[in-house]
Amino acid sequence: MRKSVYWVKSFGLVALLLASMLISACQPRAAIPATGAEVTFTATDYAFEAPDQLDAGIVTVTLQNNGQEVHHLQFMKLNQDVTFEQFTSALQESEAAALPLVEFTGGAGAIPPGQSEQVMVELEPGNYVIACFITDADGVPHLAHGMIAPLTVVESSNQAVEAPAPDQTVTLKDFEFELPQSIQSGRQIWEVVNNGPQPHEFTIVRLAEGKTMDDVAAFMQSPDGPPPFVEAGGMQALSVGKRGWAILDLQPGNYVAVCFVPDPDTGKAHVELGMVMPFTVP
Ligand SMILES: [Cu+2]
């Protein structure tokens, strides 16, 4: 769910928001609690090396990007009686036809080659799909190149993992982000909650040193040289009422939160409907 062309169209709003950015004060950092279930998903160009079965509950997921391209990891729970094959054939028709067949349960946001990111997702028993929606240089989503796989989540008799105590909370809704009033640098647990009604994601990019949203808009209009931003992870799409936790280690700098989930009525990405918000990590 990353279609860079939308950056250009949303530029006016971004400039406005950038002008209203606030710098907030520091607070002490909390420790990251130990958790039970931990599993690594490795992304390459273009496949996931991943388990095909997980225990239900709160699962700590590491996305390791061993590819040469940016990748993310989206978990989707298939609706009752929908098969993996039905979902993939609907996807071949269009994203709009396929997305109503699933519930979004989060995942690791986009990260650059060579990097890793940890998130915690809450998975009920059922049949799932993992996928990468990021597009290649020709606009073809990575899932069409093979970055899509079925995953079964089974009832577990293990001790349930408790929800972590978050350091920061982000609320998603149509069509805006409610970011924490005080953002701190360093390793933090960001709880992401979707109040909907549509599915939303919390994708983060960091502006390169000395770059502004002007540079981002210019790059998107005619890509030339290195991009003026770098992907910084986040939480993949969540359906309404769902939550997830991104364990982020943001260094001081200028960032932008953005949602590329498509609006079913207009076909526009949420970023075009205003779901983009710059923020500063002091
Ligand atoms: Cu959204």
Side-chain angles (χ1 to χ4, degrees):
M1 305 204 178
R2 173 176 182 268
K3 297 204 173 59
S4 45
V5 65
Y6 295 121
W7 282 96
V8 180
K9 296 176 185 166
S10 61
F11 164 64
L13 181 70
V14 167
L16 191 70
L17 288 166
L18 200 62
S20 67
M21 278 195 309
L22 296 172
I23 293 173
S24 47
C26 289
Q27 281 182 357
R29 293 166 193 177
I32 306 297
T35 56
E38 294 190 18
V39 62
T40 296
F41 289 67
T42 303
T44 57
D45 310 334
Y46 296 100
F48 284 112
E49 199 177 289
D52 53 16
Q53 185 173 309
L54 289 178
D55 286 345
I58 294 175
V59 183
T60 301
V61 170
T62 299
L63 173 63
Q64 172 68 44
N65 184 355
N66 285 350
Q68 302 295 314
E69 295 195 28
V70 172
H71 295 297
H72 67 203
L73 169 65
Q74 174 72 54
F75 289 88
M76 293 167 281
K77 184 171 186 274
L78 289 163
N79 292 346
Q80 196 74 35
D81 301 327
V82 175
T83 65
F84 178 73
E85 289 70 25
Q86 285 168 335
F87 178 71
T88 53
S89 66
L91 260 183
Q92 282 166 9
E93 194 184 314
S94 71
E95 270 186 25
L99 298 187
L101 304 179
V102 296
E103 184 172 60
F104 294 91
T105 53
I111 50 170
Q115 295 206 8
S116 68
E117 181 192 7
Q118 218 171 42
V119 297
M120 298 172 80
V121 291
E122 199 164 28
L123 305 176
E124 294 165 1
N127 294 316
Y128 285 72
V129 180
I130 59 166
C132 179
F133 287 88
I134 292 174
T135 50
D136 68 12
D138 299 320
V140 179
H142 294 176
L143 61 90
H145 293 305
M147 293 191 84
I148 186 164
L151 171 74
T152 308
V153 175
V154 297
E155 206 81 60
S156 165
S157 55
N158 294 341
Q159 174 90 35
V161 174
E162 281 184 31
D167 302 301
Q168 324 252 357
T169 300
V170 177
T171 303
L172 314 176
K173 56 187 183 182
D174 299 13
F175 295 101
E176 57 183 303
F177 296 96
E178 271 174 21
L179 294 177
Q181 292 200 323
S182 167
I183 295 172
Q184 297 117 54
S185 64
R187 197 168 146 86
Q188 303 273 316
I189 298 179
W190 292 63
E191 182 176 58
V192 183
V193 179
N194 182 14
N195 283 354
Q198 290 200 26
H200 297 294
E201 65 185 2
F202 177 54
T203 294
I204 308 167
V205 299
R206 181 183 180 179
L207 295 181
E209 196 66 43
K211 298 297 181 185
T212 65
M213 291 305 296
D214 283 8
D215 299 311
V216 174
F219 177 83
M220 290 309 172
Q221 256 158 355
S222 86
D224 186 23
F229 60 87
V230 67
E231 292 76 11
M235 175 56 55
Q236 281 303 116
L238 295 161
S239 289
V240 60
K242 297 285 175 190
R243 60 181 181 167
W245 300 266
I247 301 167
L248 300 174
D249 189 5
L250 300 182
Q251 299 308 304
N254 293 319
Y255 294 82
V256 184
V258 62
C259 177
F260 295 101
V261 171
D263 171 46
D265 291 339
T266 61
K268 290 180 176 179
H270 290 176
V271 59
E272 287 185 273
L273 303 172
M275 203 160 175
V276 53
M277 187 169 203
F279 65 97
T280 296
V281 177

